[in-house]
């Protein structure tokens, strides 16, 4: 059985920097939630034990995607400011959002062969 701490350790490897204690706590919660989500999406014929490493990595990426997106929203870059005669205009930084989308997309691609696709289809319709 996958332990949440394994996912946290993998996520920390991909984080790219040392996290504060508060960030590490949030990451731990997100890792647990990501693992639960991936477990619920597994196809009935797929055993968790058979794709253990993939689930650890996908859960870590999903957790980091959630954390990156939240951090981007909580500390947005100012678009402009003035000080006396000086005015500075900055481009809006979408790097965190793009990173979050990329991480989640990679996790989805990694797990695609093993999860239910979630698509709806009629198998037979009497009319």
């Amino acid at each position: 059985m996958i332990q949440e701490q394994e996912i946290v350790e993998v996520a920390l490897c991909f984080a790219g920097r040392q996290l504060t204690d508060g960030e590490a706590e949030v990451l731990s919660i997100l890792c647990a939630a990501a693992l639960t989500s991936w477990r619920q999406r597994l196809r009935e014929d797929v055993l968790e034990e058979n794709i253990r490493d993939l689930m650890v990595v996908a859960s870590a990426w999903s957790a980091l995607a959630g954390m990156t997106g939240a951090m981007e929203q909580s500390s947005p870059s100012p678009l402009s400011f003035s000080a006396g005669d000086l005015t500075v205009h900055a481009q809006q930084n979408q790097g965190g959002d793009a990173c979050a989308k990329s991480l989640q997309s990679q996790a989805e691609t990694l797990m695609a062969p093993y999860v239910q696709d979630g698509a709806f289809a009629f198998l037979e319709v009497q009319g």
Side-chain angles (χ1 to χ4, degrees):
M1 175 154 270
I2 298 171
Q3 301 297 316
E4 293 166 14
Q5 187 57 36
E6 295 174 76
I7 300 168
V8 171
E9 290 171 8
V10 170
L12 288 172
C13 289
F14 285 108
R17 66 175 177 85
Q18 187 71 24
L19 302 181
T20 66
D21 290 340
E23 290 172 335
E25 186 176 329
V26 170
L27 181 61
S28 179
I29 293 167
L30 291 173
C31 285
L35 177 60
T36 298
S37 176
W38 285 117
R39 281 179 172 152
Q40 291 172 345
R41 292 179 57 190
L42 284 179
R43 290 192 334 250
E44 290 180 18
D45 63 326
V46 176
L47 298 175
E48 181 179 323
E49 304 85 52
N50 293 343
I51 59 165
R52 183 180 201 290
D53 293 340
L54 296 177
M55 282 191 66
V56 169
V57 172
S59 296
W61 284 346
S62 294
L64 284 171
M67 189 162 181
T68 302
M71 290 174 70
E72 176 74 14
Q73 295 303 314
S74 67
S75 59
S77 301
L79 294 180
S80 66
F81 64 91
S82 297
D85 292 338
L86 176 66
T87 301
V88 176
H89 297 281
Q91 293 182 346
Q92 190 170 0
N93 181 7
Q94 296 296 324
D97 190 44
C99 180
K101 288 178 183 176
S102 176
L103 283 168
Q104 188 58 43
S105 175
Q106 290 177 60
E108 294 286 341
T109 300
L110 186 66
M111 293 297 291
Y114 310 103
V115 296
Q116 301 168 17
D117 65 9
F120 179 81
F122 288 104
L123 298 179
E124 184 176 330
V125 178
Q126 294 181 357

